[in-house]
Amino acid sequence: HIVLAEVGGAGQQKLKAARVLVIGAGGLGAPVIAYLAAAGVGTIGVVDDDRVSLSNLQRQIIHGTADIGRPKVESAGDAVAEINPHVRFEPHAERLDTANAARLIEAYDVIADGSDNFATRFLVADTAEALKKPLVTAAVGRFDGSVTTLRPFETGEDGLLNPGYRSLFPEPPPEGMVPSCAETGILGALTGLVGSLQALEVMKAILGIGEPLVGRLLLVDALSFRFETIRYKRRG
């Protein structure tokens, strides 16, 4: 990083001073947490109330066989300490809901949402928008994934407010319409690919470099290895 002209010592100091909240320590959260720790992000908070199970290990790479049965935030904390002992790790062994969302999100600079259900995604997006926190949100299916960055509290080059999550999805789909990974399966390495893209967007947000995926949804098709970008605008 230090030899990158776009990062350098000043950029590394920005990473060190940053506070990032990762929602979920699962398939997406695992690579996000690992790469943010390796990058030297100063404080990483993780929200997850689940425990490690055998079926997780095919994709959740910060957890190992010896961690089965442990709270994921504990296992994630050990992984972060192993990667970079200088990172401050803040575990939140609770499920993000309407009662704690504002308290958790307000304490961080950038939010990375790797949750696996629309109810949480909408709650995170609405709360981050209200608190004016940049949000990098990602999702994965069986062989596909998507990533976008949300800054709906800022205006774009056209002078209009940037789109929010509800510009993509006005309302959550009916419960049960979108099956979970546990129900349909998922190719493990896909979560590593999409999670790494998500971590990269978080680092760009901290460093203020490049063109973030604001108003752009990056779609990944792992079977054809096709990457497409769809532009979207604010509704209303």
Side-chain angles (χ1 to χ4, degrees), residues 12-13 39 43 62 73-74 85 98 147 149 170-171 193 197 217 222:
Q12 196 61 47
Q13 287 300 315
T43 303
I62 59 173
V73 291
E74 287 187 10
T98 55
V147 186
T149 294
E171 297 293 338
L193 172 62
L197 293 170
L217 179 68

Side-chain angles (χ1 to χ4, degrees), residues 43-64:
T43 303
I44 300 173
V46 176
V47 184
D48 199 309
D49 69 339
D50 198 9
R51 292 176 178 269
V52 180
S53 65
L54 180 62
S55 63
N56 299 152
L57 304 185
Q58 161 250 24
R59 63 196 178 282
Q60 299 178 16
I61 57 170
I62 59 173
H63 312 299

Side-chain angles (χ1 to χ4, degrees), residues 79-168:
V80 168
E82 184 71 22
I83 294 169
N84 189 341
H86 302 293
V87 173
R88 176 183 174 88
F89 183 83
E90 296 180 348
H92 303 284
E94 52 192 308
R95 190 171 188 82
L96 191 137
D97 55 29
T98 55
N100 61 20
R103 168 178 59 83
L104 291 170
I105 290 173
E106 189 172 25
Y108 294 86
D109 304 318
V110 182
I111 314 302
D113 184 9
S115 59
D116 61 356
N117 65 89
F118 275 97
T120 302
R121 291 175 194 155
F122 273 88
L123 176 59
V124 171
D126 290 344
T127 306
E129 180 173 0
L131 295 173
K132 299 183 177 180
K133 303 289 185 178
L135 168 63
V136 182
T137 184
V140 287
R142 297 168 63 239
F143 300 105
D144 59 84
S146 63
V147 186
T148 192
T149 294
L150 302 169
R151 305 179 77 106
F153 47 86
E154 296 176 348
T155 55
E157 294 180 355
D158 55 6
L160 302 175
L161 281 173
N162 292 324
Y165 192 69
R166 291 181 184 271
S167 299
L168 276 172

Side-chain angles (χ1 to χ4, degrees), residues 15 20 35 58 60 71 92 133 159 169 187 196 198 202 216 218 231 233:
L15 291 169
V20 177
Y35 272 110
Q58 161 250 24
Q60 299 178 16
H92 303 284
K133 303 289 185 178
F169 307 101
L187 198 63
S196 296
Q198 189 177 12
V202 170
R216 296 186 297 148
L218 176 64
R231 293 189 177 272
K233 295 183 177 181

